[in-house]
């Protein structure tokens, strides 16, 4: 028996987007626009920062495992605290789901090129990992439903999806759910929920309180708390009860919990963040389309650009880096010919478009 299981030896670790400091050192630049990791360009919620500052005097005490945040979320969403879990980002909760519910003979089912964080976590368990192709860059829920087998334990759906930014509709999800056995756990990853929630056809999973559905959300995106690592989930109390057996005893941290509670109350910051993103999405969608690039319509805070091949995706990424604009190549997701561009400030968005216009567009597009 090997010391390291073969499925771990073969696993490619999650590689985050390049940092501002790394690019500054590599290219000798002082001005960087980071549009790679779907972060909030306004920074963190001011109320969250204030709350973290106040809570620092109690850092000598262990945290209460997110109980305060769970109570606030239960009240906000009119459910019981037993239906809520908090963790180190939604990925922390995904990790606990993988450990809690997957047996050796089970399998995971999702779309091809799913969120890379989920791919790594699911494959680290060493069970079968199966996918179906996208349909016009959307989840093909009909094909997914037909692919469920007796071994399928978890179906992972991200809505909006990362990295494509697309959503599936209420009608599509309702039709899909009718074909899902009760023994199959559906993960509805709604990390970008706030950006899509006002879209009429968007199926807010809080209206689908089925016993085998778990909703995941995060404070990393619209609330600007990616560096704090705080996320949460909703599910049937039996699912939450078992997840609580597996999660780290004192997760999330005192600072993270304080930040999350305060961010929920920061309505002004939420409004500003959504308004900035809406403007940025309109500008980037139009401007990038005018350059001749193929842009996938998105309901999140990023756009996916489809290049003719992997070489041109790499060329675009590297040429923008030289001009101080960081975007995300998607080869690790399974889409080597695609890149993802997050919205930034108006200045960042303009810099990105101007940098692309300086390139030989015909070398990047199909036109």
């Amino acid at each position: 028996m090997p010391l390291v299981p073969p499925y771990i030896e073969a696993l490619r670790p999650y590689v985050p987007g390049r940092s501002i400091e790394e690019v500054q050192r590599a290219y000798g630049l002082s001005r960087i626009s980071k549009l790679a990791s779907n972060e909030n360009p306004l920074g963190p919620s001011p109320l969250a920062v204030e709350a973290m500052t106040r809570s620092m005097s109690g850092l000598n005490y262990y945290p209460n495992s997110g109980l305060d945040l769970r109570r606030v979320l239960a009240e906000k969403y009119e459910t019981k605290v037993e239906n809520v879990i908090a963790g180190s980002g939604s990925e922390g909760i995904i990790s606990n789901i993988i450990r809690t519910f997957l047996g050796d003979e089970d399998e995971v089912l999702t779309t091809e090129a799913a969120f890379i964080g989920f791919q790594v976590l699911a494959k680290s368990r060493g069970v079968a990992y199966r996918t179906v192709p996208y349909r016009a860059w959307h989840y093909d829920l009909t094909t997914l439903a037909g692919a469920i087998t007796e071994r399928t334990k978890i179906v992972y759906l991200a809505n909006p999806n990362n990295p494509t930014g697309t959503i599936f509709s209420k009608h599509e999800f309702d039709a899909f759910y009718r074909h899902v056995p009760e023994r199959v756990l559906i993960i509805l990853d709604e990390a970008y929920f706030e950006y899509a929630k006002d879209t009429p056809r968007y199926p807010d999973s809080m209206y689908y309180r089925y016993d085998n559905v778990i909703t995941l959300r995060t404070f990393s995106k619209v609330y600007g708390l990616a560096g704090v690592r705080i996320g949460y989930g909703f599910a049937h109390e039996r699912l939450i009860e078992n997840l609580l057996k597996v999660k780290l005893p004192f997760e999330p941290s005192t600072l993270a919990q304080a930040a999350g509670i305060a961010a929920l109350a920061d309505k002004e910051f939420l409004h500003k963040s959504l308004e900035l993103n809406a403007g940025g999405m309109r500008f980037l969608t139009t401007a990038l389309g005018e350059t001749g690039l193929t842009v996938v319509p998105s309901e999140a805070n990023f756009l996916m650009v489809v290049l003719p091949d992997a070489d041109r995706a790499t060329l675009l990424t590297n040429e923008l880096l030289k001009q101080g604009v960081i975007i995300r190549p998607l080869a690790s997701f399974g889409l080597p010919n695609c890149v993802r561009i997050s919205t930034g400030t108006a200045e960042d968005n303009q810099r990105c478009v101007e940098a692309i216009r300086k390139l030989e567009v015909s070398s990047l597009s199909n036109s």
Side-chain angles (χ1 to χ4, degrees):
M1 180 180 296
L3 178 63
V4 181
Y7 56 85
I8 297 295
E9 285 276 17
L11 190 64
R12 296 181 62 184
Y14 179 87
V15 179
R18 299 183 69 170
S19 69
I20 291 175
E21 294 75 17
E22 179 186 357
V23 174
Q24 285 177 325
R25 288 194 299 269
Y27 295 94
L29 301 170
S30 59
R31 185 182 175 193
I32 302 294
S33 293
K34 187 168 186 270
L35 305 178
S37 301
N38 307 339
E39 297 149 332
N40 190 328
L42 291 179
S45 154
L47 293 188
V49 173
E50 293 174 10
M52 285 189 286
T53 301
R54 289 194 301 270
S55 69
M56 289 181 69
S57 61
L59 293 183
N60 53 312
Y61 301 110
Y62 286 106
N64 66 359
S65 299
L67 182 58
D68 294 341
L69 176 59
R70 292 170 64 203
R71 286 171 174 159
V72 171
L73 288 165
E75 181 177 357
K76 175 179 174 64
Y77 289 99
E78 299 180 345
T79 188
K80 298 182 295 183
V81 68
E82 290 82 4
N83 297 118
V84 187
I85 189 169
S88 297
S90 54
E91 288 158 290
I93 303 173
I94 290 174
S95 176
N96 290 328
I97 292 171
I98 298 296
R99 294 167 59 206
T100 302
F101 298 108
L102 282 179
D104 291 344
E105 301 304 316
D106 294 332
E107 67 179 22
V108 173
L109 179 64
T110 187
T111 188
E112 64 181 4
F115 168 51
I116 184 61
F118 176 77
Q119 290 191 49
V120 172
L121 289 171
K123 292 174 182 177
S124 72
R125 180 60 179 82
V127 301
Y129 180 91
R130 296 174 52 237
T131 65
V132 303
Y134 284 118
R135 179 171 50 83
W137 298 116
H138 289 71
Y139 273 91
D140 187 344
L141 293 185
T142 300
T143 302
L144 268 172
I148 293 173
T149 71
E150 292 183 354
R151 293 180 57 193
T152 305
K153 176 63 72 66
I154 290 176
V155 177
Y156 173 81
L157 308 175
N159 203 34
N161 182 43
N162 178 14
T164 65
T166 54
I167 64 171
F168 50 80
S169 68
K170 296 175 183 177
H171 173 75
E172 290 171 314
F173 182 73
D174 289 340
F176 165 78
Y177 188 79
R178 287 195 291 269
H179 298 281
V180 179
E182 293 181 356
R183 61 174 173 77
V184 175
L185 176 63
I186 301 172
I187 300 175
L188 279 177
D189 187 344
E190 296 182 345
Y192 301 91
F193 161 77
E194 289 84 1
Y195 300 108
K197 64 181 177 64
D198 294 327
T199 302
R201 61 191 183 91
Y202 180 74
D204 178 350
S205 67
M206 289 304 291
Y207 293 101
Y208 295 90
R209 293 276 44 89
Y210 301 137
D211 291 353
N212 62 335
V213 173
I214 181 165
T215 295
L216 299 180
R217 292 180 183 169
T218 184
F219 290 96
S220 295
K221 308 305 179 185
V222 76
Y223 292 106
L225 297 176
V228 177
R229 310 310 303 131
I230 180 71
Y232 57 99
F234 301 97
H236 187 279
E237 56 197 68
R238 184 170 62 88
L239 299 181
I240 299 298
E241 177 186 5
N242 284 286
L243 284 171
L244 292 175
K245 298 174 184 176
V246 172
K247 73 183 290 292
L248 294 175
F250 299 110
E251 176 197 39
S253 71
T254 297
L255 295 180
Q257 177 171 241
I261 292 172
L264 286 173
D266 201 342
K267 305 299 183 186
E268 180 181 357
F269 181 77
L270 177 63
H271 175 74
K272 287 181 179 179
S273 298
L274 292 174
E275 189 174 51
L276 178 66
N277 181 68
M281 289 292 286
R282 287 192 298 269
F283 172 77
L284 286 175
T285 300
T286 301
L288 293 177
E290 289 174 348
T291 67
L293 295 175
T294 300
V295 180
V296 177
S298 170
E299 301 286 346
N301 65 337
F302 57 86
L303 292 167
M304 189 175 81
V305 176
V306 184
L307 285 304
D309 52 53
D311 288 342
R312 276 177 275 197
T314 301
L315 173 66
L316 176 60
T317 301
N318 292 339
E319 290 301 315
L320 291 188
L321 279 176
K322 295 175 184 178
Q323 298 186 59
V325 178
I326 311 173
I327 63 173
R328 179 70 148 140
L330 296 177
S332 62
F333 284 67
L335 299 172
N337 64 315
C338 298
V339 300
R340 193 187 63 198
I341 303 176
S342 311
T343 59
T345 63
E347 181 183 9
D348 288 332
N349 298 336
Q350 185 66 48
R351 287 191 70 219
C352 177
V353 172
E354 289 177 355
I356 291 173
R357 285 172 176 161
K358 290 179 182 178
L359 305 178
E360 182 63 42
V361 175
S362 60
S363 67
L364 299 174
S365 68
N366 288 303
S367 57

